[in-house]
Amino acid sequence: MELSEILDIWKSQQEKIEQSLSVNKRLLLENLEGKIESTLSGLKTTRIIGIIFGIIWCVLMTLILILSWFKTNWFFKSAFIIHIVISASAVILYGYHLVLIAKLNHNQSLINAQEQLAKLRLSNLKTLGLLWLQLPVFSIWYMSDEWMRNDPITFWYVQTPIVILQAFIGLWLYKNLNIKNQNKNWFQWFISKGEFGKIKKANELLNEIESLKA
Amino acid sequence: MINSSKTEIFLSVIETHKGIIYKIANSYCSDKDDKNDLVQDIILKLWQAFDSYNDEFKYSTWIYRVALNTAISNYRKEKVKEKYLTTNPGPFFEIAEHDNSVENESKFILLQQFISELKELDKALMLLYLEEKNYKEIAEIVGISESNVGTKIGRIKGLLKKKFSKLM
């Protein structure tokens, strides 16, 4: 079959469809005139929720740190400081994402718009990796010099290896939670099914864009 | 209070170019409800972008860009349902029964099936080719050079011919 025949088939079918297509103007008008408010995309919603809870959490943790400053040891202080710094970094990253989302514009060419959107979706992985970096602090905050003196065996042979292992896992996840590992079984364990689907599609789109640009 | 002349102009644009919106929704969604949802999403995005429409481009170019971007971004199965104040407003487009010759209908269905199997951006290129858009306009919509359009369209034409010659 020649291409011209295929084009003719397409054209004749589309003409028939267009002739039988009608716009429900009344319904359209109702929905344009005030009944549709600004829509919140899934991307925006998760960032806004993350920022609100992140700020509340950081403020709470900072208050606890300040109020307990003269009563707590250096293990507690360092764990809390690391936790607050990483959580605040994630909040700032989400804020930056919101700026990028605001700049997203469907008026743009397909390549520009889809590239921005795909990179935004993939940046979620970076934020997740960052949050895993703080894994060891959850075992550090309750350690103490007294524990070290009174029970050195548990301190050095149980607790310390746990902290080191968590630090290694956190660092490893920070480096390896990226799209190159999307086909590994462990990757899908860390990412929810829904999020994994979006990330996979974003990556496929970026690959398509690269091949189109080439 | 929405400017009524703006609304009238917008409705007139939608009426004139309803075919573009319908074709894109038809190509990117197979499920009827998803098609209706996508049509609504596209029209909403067009309305939101209407004030920033640049008359340097034709309305059709603008609509293709917004509609294709909406369709490609449409992670329908996984995404959180977008919030509208109206609940289930019903389809914005209605389609009456039309006559089809059996032979052409089956070839058309094959063509639609082929399109649905393409990757997202290739689907857009295929649609624009079938709509007989020139390379300049395709380049403006997609955002690649005209020579690149030529290469990609050439590849897609080859795929299309191969697919149909296998099946005929």
Side-chain angles (χ1 to χ4, degrees), chain A residues 135-137 139-140 143 158-168:
Chain A
L135 186 59
V137 309
S139 300
I140 292 173
M143 291 167 78
V158 177
Q159 186 66 13
T160 307
I162 288 172
V163 171
I164 294 170
L165 181 65
Q166 285 175 328
F168 175 76

Side-chain angles (χ1 to χ4, degrees), chain A residues 139-191:
Chain A
S139 300
I140 292 173
W141 71 273
Y142 55 83
M143 291 167 78
S144 65
D145 292 328
E146 287 82 6
W147 183 359
M148 202 189 330
R149 277 194 302 272
N150 298 336
D151 190 0
I153 301 207
T154 320
F155 187 92
W156 290 113
Y157 294 104
V158 177
Q159 186 66 13
T160 307
I162 288 172
V163 171
I164 294 170
L165 181 65
Q166 285 175 328
F168 175 76
I169 292 170
L171 194 61
W172 188 87
L173 283 171
Y174 175 71
K175 286 173 79 173
N176 288 287
L177 266 175
N178 64 59
I179 201 63
K180 289 175 202 165
N181 293 318
Q182 62 168 319
N183 292 321
K184 307 258 168 76
N185 290 333
W186 65 263
F187 185 90
Q188 295 175 42
W189 195 79
F190 279 96
I191 313 287

Side-chain angles (χ1 to χ4, degrees), chain A residues 88-99:
Chain A
S89 303
V91 169
I92 292 168
L93 209 54
Y94 266 15
Y96 175 64
H97 289 175
L98 275 183
V99 169

Side-chain angles (χ1 to χ4, degrees), chain A residues 10 22 24 35 107 208 212, chain B residues 62 92 94 121 131 148:
Chain A
W10 175 265
S22 61
N24 190 333
K35 283 196 178 180
N107 277 339
E208 260 196 270
L212 262 184
Chain B
W62 174 68
F92 286 167
E94 282 152 353
L121 292 170
E131 289 295 299
N148 220 347

Side-chain angles (χ1 to χ4, degrees), chain B residues 92-105:
Chain B
F92 286 167
F93 287 177
E94 282 152 353
I95 185 158
E97 291 291 322
H98 54 273
D99 291 329
N100 289 303
S101 74
V102 173
E103 196 196 331
N104 272 350
E105 176 77 356

Side-chain angles (χ1 to χ4, degrees), chain A residues 2-211:
Chain A
E2 293 305 317
L3 284 172
S4 56
E5 289 176 73
I6 296 169
L7 282 170
D8 286 339
I9 290 169
W10 175 265
K11 207 171 168 184
S12 71
Q13 289 295 323
Q14 294 304 338
E15 274 168 6
K16 285 177 188 167
I17 289 169
E18 199 147 343
Q19 277 161 20
S20 52
L21 195 60
S22 61
V23 179
N24 190 333
K25 285 187 181 165
R26 183 193 55 81
L27 194 61
L28 199 65
L29 208 57
E30 273 177 18
N31 283 281
L32 289 179
E33 284 180 344
K35 283 196 178 180
I36 298 176
E37 289 190 342
S38 64
T39 60
L40 281 181
S41 72
L43 268 178
K44 232 196 233 176
T45 313
T46 51
R47 265 51 171 202
I48 290 173
I49 292 172
I51 288 171
I52 292 171
F53 278 108
I55 290 173
I56 293 171
W57 184 254
C58 286
V59 166
L60 192 63
M61 292 297 108
T62 308
L63 275 174
I64 293 172
L65 181 65
I66 292 169
L67 292 172
S68 63
W69 188 263
F70 295 108
K71 298 173 202 165
T72 51
N73 58 42
W74 68 271
F75 289 104
F76 183 93
K77 289 183 180 82
S78 54
F80 260 67
I81 288 169
I82 293 169
H83 178 56
I84 291 165
V85 164
I86 290 177
S87 301
S89 303
V91 169
I92 292 168
L93 209 54
Y94 266 15
Y96 175 64
H97 289 175
L98 275 183
V99 169
L100 292 179
I101 289 166
K103 285 186 180 172
L104 277 179
N105 181 355
H106 280 41
N107 277 339
Q108 295 176 83
S109 69
L110 301 192
I111 295 279
N112 283 349
Q114 297 308 319
E115 198 168 20
Q116 281 175 14
L117 188 56
K119 282 181 178 172
L120 202 54
R121 287 200 184 275
L122 289 177
S123 65
N124 244 352
L125 277 177
K126 281 197 181 129
T127 314
L128 193 60
L130 180 68
L131 290 170
W132 276 102
L133 257 185
Q134 63 185 327
L135 186 59
V137 309
F138 297 105
S139 300
I140 292 173
W141 71 273
Y142 55 83
M143 291 167 78
S144 65
D145 292 328
E146 287 82 6
W147 183 359
M148 202 189 330
R149 277 194 302 272
N150 298 336
D151 190 0
I153 301 207
T154 320
F155 187 92
W156 290 113
Y157 294 104
V158 177
Q159 186 66 13
T160 307
I162 288 172
V163 171
I164 294 170
L165 181 65
Q166 285 175 328
F168 175 76
I169 292 170
L171 194 61
W172 188 87
L173 283 171
Y174 175 71
K175 286 173 79 173
N176 288 287
L177 266 175
N178 64 59
I179 201 63
K180 289 175 202 165
N181 293 318
Q182 62 168 319
N183 292 321
K184 307 258 168 76
N185 290 333
W186 65 263
F187 185 90
Q188 295 175 42
W189 195 79
F190 279 96
I191 313 287
S192 72
K193 202 178 173 188
E195 187 62 28
F196 179 72
K198 288 177 202 168
I199 286 169
K200 195 175 175 196
K201 184 160 180 182
N203 188 49
E204 283 167 3
L205 255 177
L206 277 179
N207 288 335
E208 260 196 270
I209 288 166
E210 286 313 307
S211 74

Side-chain angles (χ1 to χ4, degrees), chain B residues 33-136:
Chain B
D33 288 337
D34 282 350
K35 272 183 224 179
N36 287 333
D37 286 348
L38 181 54
V39 165
Q40 287 173 29
D41 282 352
I42 290 170
I43 292 175
L44 175 66
K45 290 282 189 304
L46 287 167
W47 175 247
Q48 288 171 344
F50 198 48
D51 285 337
S52 55
Y53 163 67
N54 181 357
D55 60 11
E56 186 190 321
F57 299 106
K58 293 189 285 187
Y59 269 127
S60 62
T61 306
W62 174 68
I63 289 173
Y64 270 115
R65 273 189 175 183
V66 175
L68 285 166
N69 272 324
T70 308
I72 295 169
S73 312
N74 185 30
Y75 300 100
R76 185 143 301 277
K77 284 173 192 157
E78 300 92 16
K79 81 171 190 181
V80 172
K81 191 84 181 160
E82 291 198 356
K83 216 194 241 182
Y84 296 98
L85 277 192
T86 55
T87 48
N88 195 17
F92 286 167
F93 287 177
E94 282 152 353
I95 185 158
E97 291 291 322
H98 54 273
D99 291 329
N100 289 303
S101 74
V102 173
E103 196 196 331
N104 272 350
E105 176 77 356
S106 62
K107 287 176 187 169
F108 181 66
I109 289 169
L110 275 172
L111 182 53
Q112 283 187 309
Q113 190 190 330
F114 170 68
I115 293 169
S116 70
E117 289 165 3
L118 293 171
K119 291 181 196 172
E120 304 292 329
L121 292 170
D122 280 348
K123 214 178 277 189
L125 280 169
M126 173 57 80
L127 272 174
L128 294 168
Y129 164 70
L130 287 169
E131 289 295 299
E132 297 180 294
K133 294 291 158 201
N134 61 47
Y135 284 6
K136 182 172 183 277

